[in-house]
Amino acid sequence: MSYVIDLVRLQPDVDPDAAYRKQSKATEEELRKTGGDQGLIDPGKEHAKQQLARALVTSHPTLRIAQPDFAELARVHSIDIPEAKRRFRNVELNEERYSIQITLFDDAAGVSFSFSGAFEECKKAATLLWDCLEIICARGGFSAFDPQVDKLLSLDSDFDLVLKTACGRQE
């Protein structure tokens, strides 16, 4: 089972849960209309994604930045390579041992892990994931929403809730 946390930038001085739900619905509508095309390249957003990826790798050297196969993406989508580079410019980081995947988009991000095993190992995976969430939120200006518990997370106090939900109870 994969455990997913959505990361979004929310406007200040609004109800965070309502703002997340509104933004999530708008994002779904946009994906339906554009087919996932992220639009024009914003150099500032590209730079911000790269800086955030570097910060994550610096803190956790076991994270690896995935190198997309733009030629294959171009072939599969019947487009040329420059168009594939424009369309598929999200940054993906992976941590193999715990099956953690982090995907950074222009205005959103997502983290997931699908670790199954002993509770103590699952706790290590969740701890690494949580540290990555703290970096993404602090440096990227994101808020974390956990669809499994249907709640905007407080990174100061919700680790045990996520741990229990993701890994089950202690053995």
Side-chain angles (χ1 to χ4, degrees):
M1 177 180 97
S2 186
Y3 199 92
V4 176
I5 296 175
D6 298 327
L7 293 131
V8 295
R9 290 190 179 102
L10 300 176
Q11 299 299 317
D13 302 323
V14 297
D15 173 49
D17 283 320
Y20 167 77
R21 292 176 202 296
K22 182 179 177 183
Q23 186 171 333
S24 181
K25 186 175 180 178
T27 299
E28 285 178 29
E29 287 292 319
E30 188 66 20
L31 283 172
R32 270 197 293 282
K33 285 194 313 190
T34 65
D37 189 333
Q38 298 180 60
L40 298 175
I41 295 173
D42 178 330
K45 290 179 180 182
E46 294 305 308
H47 180 72
K49 286 187 292 193
Q50 293 301 323
Q51 280 189 311
L52 192 49
R54 279 193 297 276
L56 288 161
V57 171
T58 298
S59 292
H60 298 288
T62 58
L63 285 170
R64 299 285 180 246
I65 298 175
Q67 300 302 317
D69 183 344
F70 290 113
E72 179 64 12
L73 287 167
R75 187 191 67 72
V76 168
H77 294 280
S78 301
I79 55 178
D80 61 22
I81 292 174
E83 179 64 9
K85 288 180 178 181
R86 186 193 68 78
R87 281 192 200 178
F88 302 100
R89 61 182 186 273
N90 55 289
V91 177
E92 182 181 307
L93 298 100
N94 297 294
E95 203 285 339
E96 189 175 322
R97 180 175 180 199
Y98 296 124
S99 299
I100 292 174
Q101 181 180 55
I102 300 167
T103 308
L104 306 173
F105 298 96
D106 286 357
D107 297 307
V111 299
S112 66
F113 80 113
S114 56
F115 185 80
S116 59
F119 177 81
E120 284 306 316
E121 286 301 303
C122 189
K123 183 176 181 180
K124 289 177 187 175
T127 300
L128 174 60
L129 181 91
W130 203 260
D131 192 56
C132 290
L133 283 174
E134 289 175 338
I135 292 167
I136 294 167
C137 290
R139 295 190 186 196
F142 289 100
S143 297
F145 185 87
D146 183 333
Q148 288 83 197
V149 296
D150 196 33
K151 163 183 190 352
L152 197 65
L153 296 174
S154 167
L155 298 182
D156 293 332
S157 60
D158 286 334
F159 177 77
D160 288 338
L161 171 66
V162 171
L163 179 66
K164 181 179 179 188
T165 307
C167 300
R169 55 188 192 97
Q170 287 186 349
E171 294 178 339

